[in-house]
Amino acid sequence: MKYSPSFFVFALFCTLSLLLPQAAFSQDFSSIGRDLLALELLIQDTIKNSEEQQRQLDDLRKNLAESGELIGTYESIIAGQEKLLRDLQIRLDAMSETYRKQSVLSAKYEKNSRFWKSFTLIAVPAAAILSGGLIWALK
């Protein structure tokens, strides 16, 4: 049997029309596979990022807790230092009062000392002269 050229064209067209959808679908399936693989990689990256962010968040919470403990420690140290400073202020006030009293007593002592020094310089020779004059008069 002899076939006409139009039969061959028709047969070729039919064969190609049967293969063309399969090729198109196979191309779509491979692109879907690539898209699914890309989506899977994106999901894995998202999970890794979420885990990293969770780890960073946990580290931040830990650092904040440690900072809170340090702040509490510093506050107690500062409170102790404030108490020591108040005690020191009280002691300084007491020392100032003592110094003021000693200054007043020192001024009184200085005044009394000048009086007795002057009195002694005048009274001892006067007493000696008077005593000597009295003894001479009684003899």
Side-chain angles (χ1 to χ4, degrees):
M1 278 196 51
K2 260 189 165 196
Y3 296 109
S4 70
S6 61
F7 176 75
F8 284 115
V9 171
F10 178 73
L12 183 64
F13 176 73
C14 285
T15 306
L16 287 177
S17 66
L18 290 175
L19 292 177
L20 186 63
Q22 290 176 359
F25 285 130
S26 69
Q27 194 173 22
D28 285 343
F29 288 133
S30 67
S31 68
I32 289 173
R34 282 193 306 266
D35 290 345
L36 286 175
L37 181 61
L39 182 61
E40 184 180 347
L41 291 174
L42 180 64
I43 290 170
Q44 288 174 352
D45 286 345
T46 304
I47 290 171
K48 285 179 186 175
N49 287 339
S50 296
E51 290 171 350
E52 178 66 21
Q53 288 175 350
Q54 185 63 41
R55 188 188 60 76
Q56 289 175 349
L57 185 61
D58 291 341
D59 289 346
L60 182 61
R61 283 185 186 132
K62 180 182 173 186
N63 289 339
L64 285 174
E66 290 172 357
S67 295
E69 290 172 5
L70 285 175
I71 288 171
T73 301
Y74 290 147
E75 285 176 346
S76 66
I77 289 171
I78 289 171
Q81 288 177 341
E82 287 174 346
K83 184 183 180 303
L84 289 174
L85 285 173
R86 282 191 298 272
D87 292 345
L88 182 61
Q89 183 65 44
I90 291 169
R91 288 180 184 173
L92 285 174
D93 290 343
M95 288 173 65
S96 287
E97 182 64 24
T98 302
Y99 178 75
R100 187 187 62 74
K101 288 177 182 178
Q102 286 178 343
S103 292
V104 168
L105 290 174
S106 180
K108 283 182 182 178
Y109 173 78
E110 181 91 21
K111 185 177 176 184
N112 288 339
S113 176
R114 271 188 266 132
F115 170 76
W116 287 110
K117 187 177 181 181
S118 299
F119 178 77
T120 303
L121 287 175
I122 295 172
V124 169
I129 292 173
L130 185 61
S131 177
L134 191 59
I135 290 177
W136 181 70
L138 290 177
K139 283 192 195 189

